[in-house]
Amino acid sequence: MTDSAHPPYPPHGAGPHRRRSVSRRRLRVCHECDLLVALPTLRPGEKADCPRCGHTLVRRHANPAERSLALSLATLITLALSVAFPFIGFEISGIGNRIGLTDSAATLIGLHQPLVALCVLLTVIILPLVYLCSVAWLCLGLLLRRPLPRSRHIARTLRHVTPWMMADVFVIGTLVSLIKVVGMADIELGLSFWTFCAYALLLLLTTQSVDSDWLWFSLDRRNLAPAGSRPGLSAAAQGLAGCTTCGLVNRLPAQGKARCRRCDEPLHPWRGIRNQATLALLAAALVMYIPANLYPIMVTTSLGNSLPSTIMGGVMLFIQHGDWPIAFIIFTASIAVPVSKILALLWLCRVAGRPRDGLSRLSRIRLYRITEFVGRWSMVDVFVVAILVALIRNGSLMSIEPGPAALAFAAVVVLTMLAAMLYDPRGIWAGADANPTPTEPAKAAQAKESDYV
C-alpha cells in the first residue's frame, strides 16, 4: 500500500515545519517530474509515490535479499531446463519436426538473418541470464554481510538490462505460432515449453522483487544527499540531479559533465526541453516502418508453391480462418501499437513546454508511461516468424522462410523503444508549481527524523 499518513513536504523555512530536520538519507529526485521528495519510513508491502506525478519512487518487500536470491536461482533452473529439452514439435502425414528453444535463432542465422537471430537470443536468453546472475551475485553478497567483488558495477547493469528482457512476449509469440499451425498439423509440446512458461513467470516476479533503492543503500550507506537540499522544490532549481541508476541526489558542478558519487553513472540534469534524439529515432522508425509493411515478413512454401505474407496479410488470413482473437493480437501488437506509440511520442514532443495545449500534465505523463510499457509487445510478430521458420522446415513440401520485413520490423520495435527511453518526461512538468497538489491515491509522506531503513 502507499504510505500517505502525512502531506507532502513544504520547502524548508515554510510555516510550522521550519524547524523540522530532514534526513539526507531519505531524499530522492523523481525521474519523471524532477521533484525533490523525502521518503517516509516504509514497511514491507508499502510504497512511496511522487506527490506531483504519481510515479512510484520506492516499493518495499519483506526479506528482499532472500526473496530475490531465491527467485533468481529458481528462474535460472527453469531457464536451464528450457534450453536442455525439446520445445515444441509438429507432425503432418508422417512428416514433422521438433525444435529446441535455441533452434529459432540458429535457423535464422542459417537463413541469413543474423540480426533478427541476435534480437531473439538477447531478449529471450542472454540478457535475462545476465540479469539473473547479477541479482544472485548481489543478493548473495548482501546476505554474507560482505558485498562481493565489483558489486557496484554489476548493480549498474540491472536498470539497463531490464527493459530488453522479453520472455513473456516470447510466450505469446509461441502461442500465436501454435494456433497458426494447429489447424493443419498435430502439435507436440515438449517439456521445455512448460518450463519456459514457468521461466517467463519467475523472471517477471524476480524483476518485481528487486528493490533498487534498498539494494544501493545496502551497498553504500555513506553517500548522502547534499546539505541544504530542500524537498518540495525541483532538483534543477537547486543545482541538483538524481541518479537514474542508484537514486542518490548529487550536487551538479558549475560546468561540465557529472557522474554519480555512488555508482559513477552519468547524471542527466534537467537543462530544458531537448527532444532531438527522440525525434531522430522516431523519424528512423517511420522510415523502417514502410518496408516493414510493404515487404513480406515471411514466405510460406507448400507443395512447391511460395506465398509471401505481409503483416496485414497475416492479420487478414487469421480473420478468414475465423481466428479473430489472434488476428486482434497481431493487429494490435504489429500495427496499432507501433503507429500509436510513434504518434503519441511525436505529440508529446510537440506540446512539451505548453501546459495549456490539449491534455493536462497528469494525462500526458500517463500517456508517456503507456507508450513506454507497450512498446516491447510489438516483438510478438518477430518471435512468431522465428518460431515458425525453425519449426516448419520440410523443403518444397512445406516450409517457412523469413521475409525482408522481419528485420525492418524488428528495427522499428528497437527504435521506438529507444525513442521512449530517451524522451525526457520532465519536460511535461516544466513551469509547474514548486509545491504540488498531491495526486490520489499517490501522496508523498512527511519524512521522520529516524534513520532510513
Side-chain angles (χ1 to χ4, degrees):
M1 71 178 188
T2 303
D3 190 320
S4 56
H6 301 278
Y9 271 95
H12 278 224
H17 300 279
R18 182 174 303 166
R19 294 185 177 86
R20 180 178 289 274
S21 62
V22 177
S23 173
R24 288 190 288 149
R25 295 181 179 181
R26 291 188 140 89
L27 297 182
R28 302 292 183 272
V29 176
C30 177
H31 304 309
E32 293 192 355
C33 70
D34 202 47
L35 184 69
L36 181 64
V37 298
L39 298 178
T41 301
L42 297 175
R43 294 182 294 273
E46 295 181 337
K47 65 174 183 175
D49 294 343
C50 175
R52 178 154 66 185
C53 68
H55 173 61
T56 298
L57 301 171
V58 175
R59 191 187 302 271
R60 290 283 179 261
H61 299 289
N63 304 316
E66 295 88 343
R67 178 190 181 99
S68 295
L69 178 61
L71 284 171
S72 61
L73 293 178
T75 311
L76 284 171
I77 292 173
T78 55
L79 174 58
L81 294 174
S82 300
V83 174
F85 292 95
F87 189 55
I88 54 176
F90 87 104
E91 182 178 350
I92 177 173
S93 301
I95 301 175
N97 189 22
R98 179 181 294 181
I99 63 172
L101 182 62
T102 58
D103 288 338
S104 56
T107 305
L108 286 171
I109 293 175
L111 295 173
H112 310 292
Q113 292 282 359
L115 293 180
V116 180
L118 182 62
C119 286
V120 175
L121 277 178
L122 283 175
T123 57
V124 177
I125 297 177
I126 297 177
L127 291 181
L129 178 62
V130 171
Y131 180 89
L132 294 168
C133 291
S134 299
V135 171
W137 181 266
L138 294 170
C139 292
L140 182 60
L142 295 178
L143 288 175
L144 295 175
R145 308 289 183 182
R146 178 176 51 85
L148 298 177
R150 305 190 70 82
S151 287
R152 295 194 194 186
H153 293 85
I154 292 173
R156 284 177 58 183
T157 66
L158 298 184
R159 185 182 71 88
H160 301 291
V161 168
T162 302
W164 302 101
M165 300 188 301
M166 302 183 187
D168 49 350
V169 183
F170 192 83
V171 170
I172 302 300
T174 303
L175 295 177
V176 172
S177 304
L178 294 178
I179 293 175
K180 191 178 182 68
V181 177
V182 71
M184 56 182 180
D186 295 327
I187 299 298
E188 178 186 355
L189 300 178
L191 176 62
S192 174
F193 173 82
W194 302 109
T195 58
F196 186 85
C197 291
Y199 157 69
L201 177 60
L202 288 172
L203 180 61
L204 180 62
L205 294 176
T206 303
T207 57
Q208 293 178 346
S209 73
V210 175
D211 182 350
S212 296
D213 187 80
W214 172 86
L215 173 65
W216 277 104
F217 182 77
S218 300
L219 292 175
D220 180 10
R221 298 171 180 265
R222 295 171 297 174
N223 283 301
L224 306 175
S229 303
R230 302 170 62 187
L233 298 175
S234 69
Q238 305 177 64
L240 305 173
C243 178
T244 55
T245 296
C246 71
L248 182 68
V249 181
N250 292 262
R251 177 75 65 186
L252 295 172
Q255 57 184 0
K257 297 182 179 180
R259 286 184 172 272
C260 177
R261 291 178 288 117
R262 179 157 62 184
C263 69
D264 201 40
E265 188 79 5
L267 298 176
H268 303 282
W270 169 248
R271 302 191 187 280
I273 299 171
R274 299 179 180 181
N275 294 321
Q276 293 88 340
T278 297
L279 291 172
L281 289 169
L282 291 176
L286 283 171
V287 171
M288 297 303 297
Y289 194 67
I290 296 174
N293 283 272
L294 292 180
Y295 289 98
I297 194 168
M298 61 183 177
V299 179
T300 303
T301 300
S302 180
L303 300 177
N305 296 321
S306 297
L307 178 65
S309 174
T310 62
I311 295 176
M312 194 63 196
V315 173
M316 298 305 298
L317 184 63
F318 277 116
I319 292 177
Q320 292 174 3
H321 292 167
D323 296 323
W324 288 90
I326 303 303
F328 176 77
I329 292 175
I330 296 298
F331 177 82
T332 301
S334 303
I335 297 177
V337 167
V339 172
S340 301
K341 186 173 184 178
I342 291 173
L343 293 177
L345 287 174
L346 286 173
W347 183 80
L348 287 173
C349 290
R350 177 184 176 276
V351 300
R354 303 177 184 177
R356 297 184 180 180
D357 290 358
L359 300 176
S360 65
R361 286 190 172 100
L362 282 176
S363 298
R364 292 180 189 183
I365 199 66
R366 291 181 185 126
L367 176 62
Y368 166 71
R369 291 168 187 161
I370 292 173
T371 60
E372 191 176 34
F373 172 76
V374 301
R376 60 199 293 272
W377 291 95
S378 296
M379 283 293 287
V380 166
D381 227 359
V382 177
F383 291 151
V384 168
V385 173
I387 294 169
L388 291 178
V389 164
L391 183 62
I392 304 179
R393 304 295 303 162
N394 293 308
S396 59
L397 179 62
M398 180 181 293
S399 64
I400 294 180
E401 296 185 0
L407 178 58
F409 188 76
V412 171
V413 178
V414 173
L415 289 170
T416 53
M417 288 182 66
L418 289 174
M421 292 176 186
L422 292 180
Y423 177 80
D424 194 342
R426 292 175 294 183
I428 296 174
W429 301 93
D433 294 335
N435 290 315
T437 301
T439 58
E440 291 295 344
K443 291 184 179 180
Q446 178 104 19
K448 300 177 182 178
E449 298 180 16
S450 58
D451 288 340
Y452 173 86
V453 291

